[in-house]
Amino acid sequence: MGPSDAELAARVVANDDRHAFAALVRRHQSAIRSVLRRLCAGDAALADDLSQETFVRAWKGLRGWRGGARLSTWLHRIAVNAWLSQARRMPLPAAAEAGVQAPADGPVEARRDLERAFAFLRPEERLALALAYAQDLTHEEAAEAAGWPVGTLKSHLLRGKEKLRQRLVPQEGVA
Amino acid sequence: MTNPADPVESALRHSAYLEDETFTDGVMGTLPPRRRRPRGAVLLVAGVVAGLVGAATLGEPITAAVVALGASTVTATILGGAVLALATGVLLRSARE
């Protein structure tokens, strides 16, 4: 059990400690990249670019993190903003471009199919599903990261799940 | 709201750990250069400027007081400026902390 997020963040703020920041990136990279892969409907290269942008923004703004929210919630909020900025710059790819195909038979392909199926969702449904099922966020934290009340998150969640079910389940499940 | 038997639900819940590989190295390589921390230099310059301004505006009474104690006018002016600079530096430092 290494130093807590708060201890590492304090070292970054006090001494611009790059080793401490690298430890934070290693600790949170999987969660942030996973969420962005879903938001980007499986475009791993774009998701990793936005993840990188997320951590660079976090480096610049870490002094502004007051510890009121968990660091992971704060990082997800930055990731959402990076994704929204990207969506404003360049419209999200349509489902056909995202390459949704017949269901896969392996776990890796199943994961990719799920990510690609996000292309059929509206942006707010993508956001709700990606955050609500993020590795370590509660629904309250997911709503906070999205900037919504919890009720709004849940209604987008229900609609998004229903669309995914229609897309993925008729062909013998998703996994 | 959740149903573990729902295949969509379980697919959404299953999120494999993504290996770091070179991701962290890539992030660290794109961070902006280390910020310089000119606190000492800022305090010194601010102190000197404040001392000069203080000596010009408030120096006369301080100088007069120090001269009355037996020092020369030049020494008194320098001492007055130094006192003001020190006080400004202490105030700035405490304000930052």
Side-chain angles (χ1 to χ4, degrees):
Chain A
M1 186 84 185
S4 69
D5 284 351
E7 287 165 343
L8 290 169
R11 279 160 47 185
V12 175
V13 170
N15 306 314
D16 291 334
D17 186 334
R18 285 177 179 246
H19 293 294
F21 190 72
L24 286 174
V25 176
R26 271 191 292 274
R27 185 176 291 175
H28 293 283
Q29 60 85 20
S30 177
I32 296 297
R33 289 166 70 205
S34 296
V35 162
L36 282 165
R37 280 192 187 188
R38 288 181 174 180
L39 287 174
C40 295
D43 185 338
L46 176 59
D48 276 5
D49 284 350
L50 293 178
S51 302
Q52 188 164 315
E53 187 181 330
T54 297
F55 285 107
V56 171
R57 287 189 192 186
W59 164 259
K60 291 178 181 168
L62 197 55
R63 203 175 286 275
W65 176 60
R66 299 292 179 199
R70 285 197 305 144
L71 187 73
S72 62
T73 310
W74 185 72
L75 287 172
H76 278 88
R77 178 75 195 153
I78 298 175
V80 166
N81 286 337
W83 176 70
L84 290 171
S85 300
Q86 168 66 24
R88 276 193 290 272
R89 284 196 300 269
M90 193 179 298
L92 300 169
E97 296 169 45
V100 177
Q101 296 157 353
D105 44 9
V108 173
E109 271 308 308
R111 191 201 73 212
R112 287 186 185 147
D113 277 354
L114 177 71
E115 289 168 350
R116 288 176 190 145
F118 270 63
F120 289 91
L121 306 178
R122 292 166 59 205
E124 55 270 30
E125 293 160 353
R126 286 191 201 190
L127 196 50
L129 283 165
L131 290 172
Y133 290 93
Q135 285 171 9
D136 60 350
L137 294 188
T138 63
H139 278 190
E140 287 72 23
E141 289 169 331
E144 185 181 340
W148 296 329
V150 176
T152 305
L153 175 93
K154 287 184 176 175
S155 62
H156 290 316
L157 204 50
L158 284 174
R159 273 197 293 272
K161 259 199 288 195
E162 190 48 43
K163 283 188 188 174
L164 283 185
R165 192 169 289 114
Q166 288 167 6
R167 174 68 41 188
L168 295 168
V169 171
Q171 299 106 2
E172 300 176 3
V174 291
Chain B
M1 182 160 179
T2 60
N3 174 11
D6 179 348
V8 170
E9 182 84 29
S10 66
L12 284 164
R13 287 204 178 284
H14 180 264
S15 183
Y17 180 82
L18 296 179
E19 291 299 331
D20 186 290
E21 295 174 352
T22 58
F23 180 79
T24 297
D25 292 341
V27 170
M28 299 311 289
T30 57
L31 292 184
R34 182 181 287 267
R35 288 167 288 163
R36 299 187 66 180
R37 302 183 65 83
R39 184 191 297 185
V42 168
L43 288 178
L44 181 65
V45 170
V48 168
V49 169
L52 291 173
V53 171
T57 55
L58 304 170
E60 201 169 329
I62 295 173
T63 303
V66 180
V67 166
L69 293 173
S72 71
T73 306
V74 173
T75 308
T77 303
I78 292 170
L79 277 174
V83 168
L84 287 167
L86 187 63
T88 308
V90 169
L91 282 174
L92 284 171
R93 189 183 181 94
S94 60
R96 279 187 66 92
E97 288 167 355

